[in-house]
Amino acid sequence: MTTGKRPVSRREFLKLGGASLAGATLLGVAGCGSGGSGQSSGPSIGWQAIPSYSTEQNTDQARVDYLKKAISKWEGSNKYSINARASSADVTAAMAQLLQQASQKRAADISQVDSYIFPRFYEYAYPLDDYLGDISPDQYFPFAREAMTNNGKVMGLQFTTDVRVLYYRKDKISTPPASWDDLISTGEKMKKQGLTPYLFPAGRDEATVTTSLFPYFWAQGGELVDGSGKP
């Protein structure tokens, strides 16, 4: 990690509170680059986020206010400034660019990385185990722990995720389905009453598949690929 005046070790940064900042705001913590963008005259730490979690391109004012307050508080108790910048809204392009920067040691000191691609950053990220304090990988869901760790070491911290649920109308269904058989049986009964048993939340992005198809496919034991990765 470099600054405007002298190199700042990651151990020094994390001891000063960087780990707590990262845990609050970042998905992937990849201390793999050359630091800030060079705009700060003093020692700085480069922090790159996707637009929706940045302080520059974020349309959620409440989130912007929170991030600025957190950054200001951290800077107020340390001699380093946070050199914040935003990546592209095109996640695929942003991750490809970040991966290239990491391979060339030009990535920000802390970067927000999409979980599905984070394993590709393992060879460039620095382990965080020595700096986690009260944070334990056991506090995370198994799927998050799997992405966060490599060879038994914590390479990043996942800070957000979502869940898939089925909603039902209490005025139409007295007892919610408890199994797939119940779901199909209930749907057939609703259909006979002239009702639509399932409303498909179709859209233009990946949520159409990840929300409406794959969870139910996987829950019934479906597999997309075999052990060798073939369809």
Side-chain angles (χ1 to χ4, degrees), residues 151-197:
N151 293 326
K153 295 184 179 297
V154 178
M155 310 305 290
L157 298 177
Q158 180 152 345
F159 85 106
T160 186
T161 187
D162 52 13
V163 296
R164 306 298 181 219
V165 297
L166 285 174
Y167 294 90
Y168 74 98
R169 288 182 53 175
K170 292 184 176 181
D171 61 331
K172 302 295 182 182
I173 302 173
S174 58
T175 304
S179 67
W180 287 108
D181 289 339
D182 286 350
L183 180 66
I184 294 173
S185 176
T186 300
E188 290 175 341
K189 292 177 181 177
M190 294 181 65
K191 191 173 182 179
K192 291 179 180 179
Q193 299 173 20
L195 302 173
T196 301

Side-chain angles (χ1 to χ4, degrees), residues 112-152:
Q112 191 171 357
V113 182
D114 212 331
S115 58
Y116 79 93
I117 200 174
F118 187 58
R120 299 189 183 186
F121 286 83
Y122 287 160
E123 63 179 297
Y124 309 115
Y126 285 75
L128 301 177
D129 303 78
D130 294 341
Y131 321 113
L132 296 181
D134 295 333
I135 300 175
S136 170
D138 294 336
Q139 297 171 326
Y140 290 81
F141 289 115
F143 75 89
R145 291 201 299 270
E146 183 178 354
M148 287 165 40
T149 58
N150 182 44
N151 293 326

Side-chain angles (χ1 to χ4, degrees), residues 63-95:
R63 182 176 290 174
V64 171
D65 293 342
Y66 167 79
L67 290 172
K68 287 184 175 180
K69 182 178 179 181
I71 291 173
S72 178
K73 181 179 179 181
W74 191 88
E75 290 179 330
S77 59
N78 295 284
K79 56 185 177 181
Y80 306 104
S81 62
I82 298 297
N83 217 335
R85 55 190 179 189
S87 61
S88 169
D90 184 337
V91 177
T92 301
M95 293 299 100

Side-chain angles (χ1 to χ4, degrees), residues 195-210:
L195 302 173
T196 301
Y198 177 65
L199 298 180
F200 188 80
R204 296 184 300 171
D205 58 17
E206 69 277 5
T208 301
V209 174
T210 59

